Amino acid sequence: TCGADACYLAFSPDGKYLMAANYSGGSFCLLPILPDHSLGHASCVLRHQGKGVNAERQEGPHPHQMLLSPDGQSVYVADLGLDRLAGYQGDWNRGWLLPKEELDIQGIPGQGIRHGVFDKDGNYLYVMTEIACEVNTYRYEKETGKAELIQTISAMPKDCDIPSLGAAIRLHPNGKWLYVSVRGSNHLAVFRIDKDGKLTLIQRKDSGGEIPRDFILSPGGRYLLAGHQDTDTICVFEIDQDTGELTLVHTEKEVNCVTVLAPWKN
């Protein structure tokens, strides 16, 4: 992937390229997908420069996600080290990303921007921050690709003194609720999306394991599955379809999941 510690993959809108972000390498690239589905040599490699205010965590650039704009024409590279989603224009014919500084979306210094997600209509952008464990809400202009920060809300309990790091962020298929995970405190936070696009915290729920680095929602939005790095567990939560709140219904060791899925591979 032309850099160290690849941490995020995403397809181009036409499915002809795979985009990869390298956390430690400070770089990101586009890899052409060949007719046999293997990957060709990178058609584009770019590297960020600079650093943030946190000398320990932001000593240099740390690309953490490559997020497509709602129209698929632009790519925002979320950089934890620079507290910025750097904007690029996609040239999907040649497999290039062209820097567009006017598209850059700024975070708050020291937050550690990690991952973002657009709402269903592409009018709002929600960004999870790793160092601050906060969610930024931006009003997004689809015509110009520019964004305005309108809210910052914490995902942490007020009395929590456990060192914690923000992790994943997902939007419910119905567009009404937003979910994030936090490592260290090991919990999931549920936000209601109000009519003005802003968030209201409605639940904090123990994630059921240690270090919930990532989670997914089932296609219909009935379940949330949280994967835990340190306890090797996947915890399944049922999502209340009226409120969006979570109820733990099952915990599964990952090794057992592999055993169950193995026959399907044949």
Side-chain angles (χ1 to χ4, degrees):
T1 58
C2 307
D5 296 328
C7 62
Y8 193 89
L9 300 173
F11 289 107
S12 63
D14 56 12
K16 295 181 179 180
Y17 295 92
L18 186 69
M19 303 185 291
N22 299 301
Y23 179 85
S24 296
S27 64
F28 46 99
C29 69
L30 267 65
L31 302 164
I33 301 173
L34 304 180
D36 65 354
H37 305 293
S38 64
L39 299 175
H41 295 294
S43 58
C44 177
V45 182
L46 295 170
R47 188 182 304 276
H48 283 167
Q49 301 291 331
K51 60 183 179 180
V53 298
N54 186 314
E56 181 179 355
R57 293 297 316 281
Q58 298 178 309
E59 80 296 342
H62 292 300
H64 218 306
Q65 183 196 34
M66 301 182 75
L67 177 65
L68 280 173
S69 62
D71 62 6
Q73 298 305 305
S74 302
V75 175
Y76 295 96
V77 180
D79 196 310
L80 184 146
L82 305 181
D83 283 315
R84 180 170 70 239
L85 290 100
Y88 293 85
Q89 186 70 40
D91 183 338
W92 306 121
N93 292 321
R94 293 181 287 187
W96 291 1
L97 292 179
L98 308 174
K100 294 287 184 180
E101 291 187 8
E102 63 269 26
L103 298 181
D104 287 0
I105 300 173
Q106 303 295 332
I108 299 172
Q111 280 187 312
I113 289 214
R114 182 180 171 94
H115 284 182
V117 61
F118 286 96
D119 79 324
K120 290 182 66 175
D121 298 322
N123 295 321
Y124 296 96
L125 169 63
Y126 302 99
V127 177
M128 183 61 176
T129 65
E130 180 168 320
I131 300 172
C133 300
E134 296 172 332
V135 182
N136 287 346
T137 301
Y138 296 86
R139 183 179 292 110
Y140 184 75
E141 296 180 0
K142 289 181 285 187
E143 296 77 11
T144 64
K146 296 181 179 181
E148 175 192 4
L149 180 62
I150 60 173
Q151 181 194 32
T152 297
I153 186 170
S154 177
M156 295 296 295
K158 292 182 179 180
D159 57 350
C160 181
D161 58 0
I162 301 172
S164 299
L165 297 171
I169 182 169
R170 297 284 187 274
L171 179 72
H172 193 274
N174 67 14
K176 296 180 180 179
W177 308 303
L178 187 78
Y179 300 86
V180 303
S181 65
V182 180
R183 298 163 288 172
S185 57
N186 300 326
H187 76 273
L188 302 164
V190 185
F191 298 92
R192 183 183 69 239
I193 299 177
D194 298 323
K195 291 182 179 180
D196 60 0
K198 294 183 179 180
L199 303 175
T200 298
L201 179 68
I202 59 175
Q203 184 188 31
R204 292 189 185 95
K205 183 75 172 177
D206 189 296
S207 66
E210 295 182 14
I211 313 300
R213 178 171 288 273
D214 204 357
F215 65 89
I216 59 171
L217 303 182
S218 60
R222 184 178 176 186
Y223 297 103
L224 182 152
L225 291 81
H228 296 89
Q229 177 179 325
D230 286 8
T231 47
D232 296 325
T233 51
I234 297 175
C235 295
V236 183
F237 295 82
E238 187 169 13
I239 299 174
D240 188 302
Q241 299 301 294
D242 293 323
T243 67
E245 295 186 355
L246 303 172
T247 300
L248 180 64
V249 294
H250 187 67
T251 300
E252 187 75 44
K253 280 284 186 180
E254 289 189 34
V255 64
N256 293 336
C257 290
V258 173
T259 302
V260 171
L261 293 175
W264 298 2
K265 297 179 181 179
N266 299 324

